[in-house]
Coordinates of all heavy atoms in Angstrom, one line a residue:
E9 N 50.8 6.1 41.1 CA 51.4 6.2 39.8 C 50.7 5.4 38.7 O 50.7 5.8 37.5 CB 52.9 5.7 39.9 CG 53.8 6.6 40.8 CD 55.2 6.1 40.8 OE1 55.6 5.2 40.0 OE2 56.0 6.7 41.5
V10 N 50.0 4.3 39.1 CA 49.2 3.6 38.1 C 48.0 4.5 37.7 O 47.7 4.6 36.5 CB 48.6 2.3 38.8 CG1 47.6 1.6 37.8 CG2 49.7 1.4 39.1
I11 N 47.4 5.1 38.6 CA 46.3 6.0 38.3 C 46.7 7.2 37.4 O 46.0 7.6 36.5 CB 45.6 6.5 39.6 CG1 44.9 5.3 40.3 CG2 44.6 7.6 39.3 CD1 44.4 5.7 41.7
A12 N 47.9 7.8 37.8 CA 48.4 8.9 37.0 C 48.6 8.5 35.5 O 48.4 9.2 34.6 CB 49.6 9.4 37.6
F13 N 49.2 7.3 35.3 CA 49.4 6.8 34.0 C 48.1 6.6 33.2 O 48.0 7.0 32.1 CB 50.2 5.4 34.1 CG 50.3 4.7 32.7 CD1 51.2 5.2 31.8 CD2 49.4 3.7 32.4 CE1 51.3 4.5 30.5 CE2 49.5 3.0 31.2 CZ 50.4 3.5 30.2
A14 N 47.1 6.0 33.9 CA 45.8 5.8 33.2 C 45.1 7.1 32.9 O 44.5 7.2 31.8 CB 44.9 5.0 34.1
Q15 N 45.3 8.1 33.7 CA 44.7 9.4 33.4 C 45.4 10.1 32.2 O 44.8 10.8 31.5 CB 44.8 10.3 34.7 CG 43.9 9.9 35.8 CD 44.1 10.7 37.1 OE1 45.2 11.3 37.3 NE2 43.1 10.7 37.9
Q16 N 46.6 9.7 32.0 CA 47.4 10.3 30.9 C 47.1 9.6 29.6 O 46.9 10.3 28.6 CB 48.9 10.2 31.2 CG 49.8 10.7 30.1 CD 51.2 10.5 30.4 OE1 51.6 9.8 31.2 NE2 52.1 11.2 29.6
C17 N 47.0 8.3 29.6 CA 46.8 7.5 28.3 C 45.4 7.0 28.1 O 45.0 6.6 27.0 CB 47.8 6.4 28.2 SG 47.4 5.0 29.3
G18 N 44.6 7.0 29.2 CA 43.2 6.6 29.1 C 43.0 5.2 29.5 O 43.8 4.3 29.3
W19 N 41.8 4.9 30.1 CA 41.4 3.6 30.5 C 40.9 2.8 29.3 O 40.4 3.5 28.3 CB 40.3 3.6 31.6 CG 40.7 4.4 32.8 CD1 40.5 5.7 33.1 CD2 41.4 3.8 34.0 NE1 41.0 6.0 34.3 CE2 41.5 4.9 34.9 CE3 41.9 2.6 34.3 CZ2 42.1 4.8 36.1 CZ3 42.5 2.4 35.6 CH2 42.6 3.5 36.4
P20 N 40.9 1.5 29.2 CA 41.5 0.6 30.2 C 43.0 0.5 30.1 O 43.6 0.8 29.0 CB 40.8 -0.8 29.9 CG 40.5 -0.7 28.5 CD 40.2 0.7 28.2
I21 N 43.6 -0.1 31.1 CA 45.1 -0.3 31.1 C 45.3 -1.7 31.6 O 44.5 -2.4 32.1 CB 45.9 0.7 31.9 CG1 45.4 0.5 33.4 CG2 45.7 2.1 31.5 CD1 46.3 1.3 34.4
I22 N 46.6 -2.2 31.4 CA 47.0 -3.5 31.9 C 48.1 -3.2 32.9 O 49.0 -2.3 32.7 CB 47.6 -4.4 30.8 CG1 46.6 -4.7 29.7 CG2 48.3 -5.6 31.3 CD1 45.6 -5.7 30.2
I23 N 48.1 -3.9 34.1 CA 49.3 -3.9 35.0 C 49.7 -5.3 35.2 O 48.9 -6.2 35.3 CB 49.0 -3.1 36.3 CG1 48.0 -3.8 37.2 CG2 48.6 -1.7 36.0 CD1 48.0 -3.3 38.6
K24 N 51.0 -5.5 35.3 CA 51.6 -6.8 35.5 C 53.0 -6.7 36.0 O 53.6 -5.6 35.9 CB 51.5 -7.6 34.2 CG 52.2 -6.9 33.0 CD 52.0 -7.7 31.7 CE 52.6 -6.9 30.5 NZ 52.4 -7.6 29.2
P25 N 53.6 -7.8 36.5 CA 55.0 -7.7 36.9 C 55.9 -7.5 35.7 O 55.6 -8.0 34.6 CB 55.2 -9.1 37.5 CG 53.9 -9.7 37.8 CD 53.0 -9.1 36.8
V26 N 57.0 -6.8 35.9 CA 57.9 -6.5 34.7 C 58.5 -7.8 34.2 O 59.0 -7.8 33.1 CB 58.9 -5.5 35.1 CG1 58.3 -4.1 35.4 CG2 59.9 -6.0 36.2
N27 N 58.6 -8.8 35.0 CA 59.3 -10.1 34.6 C 58.4 -11.3 34.6 O 58.8 -12.4 34.8 CB 60.5 -10.4 35.4 CG 60.2 -10.7 36.9 OD1 59.2 -10.2 37.4 ND2 61.0 -11.5 37.5
G28 N 57.1 -11.0 34.4 CA 56.1 -12.1 34.5 C 56.1 -13.0 33.3 O 56.7 -12.7 32.2
A29 N 55.5 -14.2 33.5 CA 55.4 -15.2 32.4 C 54.2 -16.1 32.7 O 53.7 -16.1 33.9 CB 56.7 -16.0 32.3
G30 N 53.7 -16.7 31.7 CA 52.6 -17.7 31.9 C 51.3 -17.0 32.4 O 50.5 -17.6 33.1
S31 N 51.0 -15.8 32.0 CA 49.8 -15.0 32.3 C 49.7 -14.8 33.8 O 48.6 -14.5 34.3 CB 48.6 -15.8 31.8 OG 48.6 -16.0 30.4
L32 N 50.8 -14.9 34.6 CA 50.7 -14.7 36.0 C 50.4 -13.2 36.3 O 51.2 -12.3 35.9 CB 52.0 -15.1 36.7 CG 52.2 -16.6 36.8 CD1 53.7 -16.9 37.2 CD2 51.3 -17.2 37.8
Q33 N 49.4 -13.0 37.1 CA 49.0 -11.6 37.6 C 49.0 -10.6 36.6 O 49.6 -9.5 36.7 CB 50.1 -11.3 38.7 CG 49.9 -12.1 40.0 CD 48.6 -11.8 40.7 OE1 47.9 -10.8 40.5 NE2 48.3 -12.7 41.7
V34 N 48.3 -10.8 35.5 CA 48.0 -9.8 34.4 C 46.6 -9.3 34.7 O 45.6 -10.0 34.7 CB 48.1 -10.5 33.0 CG1 47.7 -9.4 32.0 CG2 49.4 -11.0 32.8
H35 N 46.5 -8.0 34.9 CA 45.2 -7.4 35.3 C 44.8 -6.3 34.3 O 45.6 -5.4 34.0 CB 45.3 -6.7 36.7 CG 45.6 -7.7 37.8 ND1 44.7 -8.2 38.6 CD2 46.8 -8.2 38.2 CE1 45.2 -9.1 39.5 NE2 46.5 -9.1 39.3
K36 N 43.6 -6.4 33.8 CA 43.0 -5.3 33.0 C 42.2 -4.5 33.9 O 41.2 -4.9 34.5 CB 42.2 -5.9 31.8 CG 41.6 -4.9 30.9 CD 40.8 -5.5 29.8 CE 40.2 -4.5 28.8 NZ 39.4 -5.2 27.8
L37 N 42.5 -3.2 33.9 CA 41.8 -2.3 34.8 C 41.0 -1.2 34.1 O 41.5 -0.6 33.1 CB 42.8 -1.6 35.7 CG 43.8 -2.5 36.5 CD1 44.7 -1.6 37.4 CD2 43.0 -3.5 37.3
F38 N 39.7 -1.0 34.5 CA 38.9 0.0 33.9 C 38.7 1.3 34.6 O 38.2 2.2 34.1 CB 37.5 -0.7 33.6 CG 37.5 -1.9 32.7 CD1 37.8 -3.1 33.1 CD2 37.3 -1.7 31.3 CE1 37.8 -4.2 32.3 CE2 37.3 -2.7 30.4 CZ 37.6 -4.0 30.9
S39 N 39.0 1.3 35.9 CA 38.7 2.4 36.8 C 39.7 2.5 37.9 O 40.4 1.5 38.3 CB 37.3 2.4 37.3 OG 37.1 1.4 38.2

């Protein structure tokens, strides 16, 4: 589902927990 979203809106994208704070597990993905 992450890949499908990126294919729809274009790379790069960010994925992270929906309730994150303090920059925990924030990922910028290019491919």
